[in-house]
Amino acid sequence: MPNLNYGVPQDVPQRVPQDVPQDDLDAKILALIKKDNKISTEKLGMALGVSYKTIRRHIKAMGNVHYIGRGFSGHWEIHDKS
């Protein structure tokens, strides 16, 4: 049987749950970033049981969380929504 997963990393989460409450997810993302401001979106996703794309989408929608810098040398900053 041929391998049809061309170029797909093997550590990509499969069967990601779709029933995570959205407001609760935002609060959990903020709590994890406050605990470790250098955490990656991939690690956030693994910790919360969702994909890294879901994490990125939520962070973008929240509007008060920004990544400063680039790659491993950067960090997250949380700003007040006022």
Side-chain angles (χ1 to χ4, degrees), residues 26 29-30 33 39-41 44 52-67 76-77:
D26 290 351
I29 290 170
L30 288 174
I33 288 174
I39 192 167
S40 68
T41 54
L44 283 167
Y52 74 94
K53 289 183 179 181
T54 298
I55 298 295
R56 288 181 182 176
R57 202 168 34 250
H58 273 266
I59 288 172
K60 185 176 180 180
M62 287 192 292
N64 65 331
V65 179
H66 304 283
Y67 195 77
W76 293 101
E77 286 188 1

